[in-house]
Amino acid sequence: MTLLWDGARNVGDLGGLALVAGGETARGRIYRSAAHEWITGRGWVHARQAGVTTVVDLRNDMEIGRTSEHPVLDAGATAGITFVNAPTENPRDAEFLRQCGPWLDHPCSWTTNMQMYPEKISRVLDVVVRATSPVLIHCAGGRDRTGMIGSLLLLLAGAASASIVANYEAGFRGAAEHRGHGWSFDQVAGEWVSSAGEVWTGDELDAALDDRRPALLDWVETFDAQSYLTAAGVDSVTRRRLELLLIE
């Protein structure tokens, strides 16, 4: 479900999505968005009204920071909000770049990414599950890393495949409404480059999603989330809490 928080880009709620067992995922527990720096002071009032007190930032250190494009915030605008930086990858890891570099904006990279960094993924989930109030999860555009973590949480909750696809596609389309989503790895140059000037036409966006949808569905049907978390050292109590996080 799309929300309107002033200044926020690509903000939505992981609630209201169909579960395999019937019913819907709980609203107002997990929100997702693009980088939080776009949120205005009024937007942070909206976020607090939604109950948010914890923000999980999935970006790498080179992506974080305010620029002249971001709104100026009054002192205290984010008072009461805890920001936790919990990257899902190591952008300086040559093996990560070799295996995932060509697929950084594609569900094809998810399983490899998660298998390479179980400690990073489990940290993200630990912060989310230990928060005592609704959580906002974001990366740069709210599309790729946020899509991966959001899909994992929905998979653990028992969301229907169509629900996971719908949430991912909403985040992907939401990111495309703005010029770019952050950084990408240039395979030829062998370096990270800004994709801030990236623009999608409607046909290009549809084609991109048509390409990604089968890979996402294959991931949903084949990824054993519980076995992954067990191997990552997540205890049974936490695994159960994660299962129930998005269930009414």
Side-chain angles (χ1 to χ4, degrees):
M1 181 178 67
T2 301
L3 302 172
L4 295 176
W5 297 351
D6 193 57
R9 294 184 170 187
N10 200 13
V11 62
D13 188 342
L14 267 62
L17 298 169
L19 295 163
V20 172
E24 297 181 337
T25 53
R27 300 177 190 271
R29 294 188 184 175
I30 304 292
Y31 300 100
R32 51 102 176 134
S33 75
H36 70 260
E37 287 90 351
W38 296 107
I39 303 176
T40 68
R42 183 182 178 193
W44 283 114
V45 171
H46 296 156
R48 274 193 291 268
Q49 288 173 342
V52 172
T53 59
T54 300
V55 176
V56 184
D57 186 345
L58 306 177
R59 294 176 298 173
N60 302 307
D61 55 3
M62 65 185 182
E63 302 174 85
I64 298 174
R66 304 187 65 81
T67 71
S68 59
E69 294 182 303
H70 295 134
V72 176
L73 300 181
D74 293 334
T78 59
I81 307 289
T82 298
F83 294 85
V84 180
N85 181 222
T88 61
E89 63 194 30
N90 179 355
R92 300 174 180 85
D93 182 344
E95 186 61 17
F96 168 74
L97 295 176
R98 186 185 72 80
Q99 294 198 49
C100 296
W103 305 101
L104 287 176
D105 64 346
H106 201 297
C108 278
S109 71
W110 290 2
T111 297
T112 302
N113 186 159
M114 287 192 278
Q115 289 176 340
M116 291 185 74
Y117 306 115
E119 73 288 350
K120 293 183 181 296
I121 304 302
S122 60
R123 179 169 183 259
V124 172
L125 298 178
D126 187 67
V127 174
V128 170
V129 81
R130 291 181 185 279
T132 57
S133 61
V135 176
L136 171 64
I137 300 172
H138 75 80
C139 52
R143 183 181 88 174
D144 303 316
R145 289 161 289 186
T146 301
M148 178 177 70
I149 295 299
S151 295
L152 178 57
L153 289 169
L154 289 169
L155 187 64
L156 287 165
S161 297
S163 298
I164 297 175
V165 171
N167 178 70
Y168 172 77
E169 292 194 0
F172 202 97
R173 290 185 182 279
E177 292 178 4
H178 305 282
R179 293 179 63 84
H181 63 285
W183 294 79
S184 60
F185 187 72
D186 187 322
Q187 295 290 318
V188 177
E191 61 185 13
W192 290 91
V193 297
S194 173
S195 55
E198 178 187 59
V199 178
W200 297 76
T201 66
D203 288 344
E204 288 173 337
L205 182 56
D206 289 341
L209 286 169
D210 287 343
D211 176 60
R212 287 158 176 76
R213 196 173 298 113
L216 174 55
L217 285 169
D218 180 69
W219 179 85
V220 171
E221 293 170 2
T222 61
F223 189 75
D224 188 336
Q226 283 293 341
S227 293
Y228 170 77
L229 294 181
T230 300
V234 179
D235 63 75
S236 60
V237 173
T238 301
R239 296 199 304 273
R240 182 57 176 162
R241 289 179 65 190
L242 285 165
E243 284 183 337
L244 298 175
L245 192 61
L246 284 168
I247 298 177
E248 295 285 7

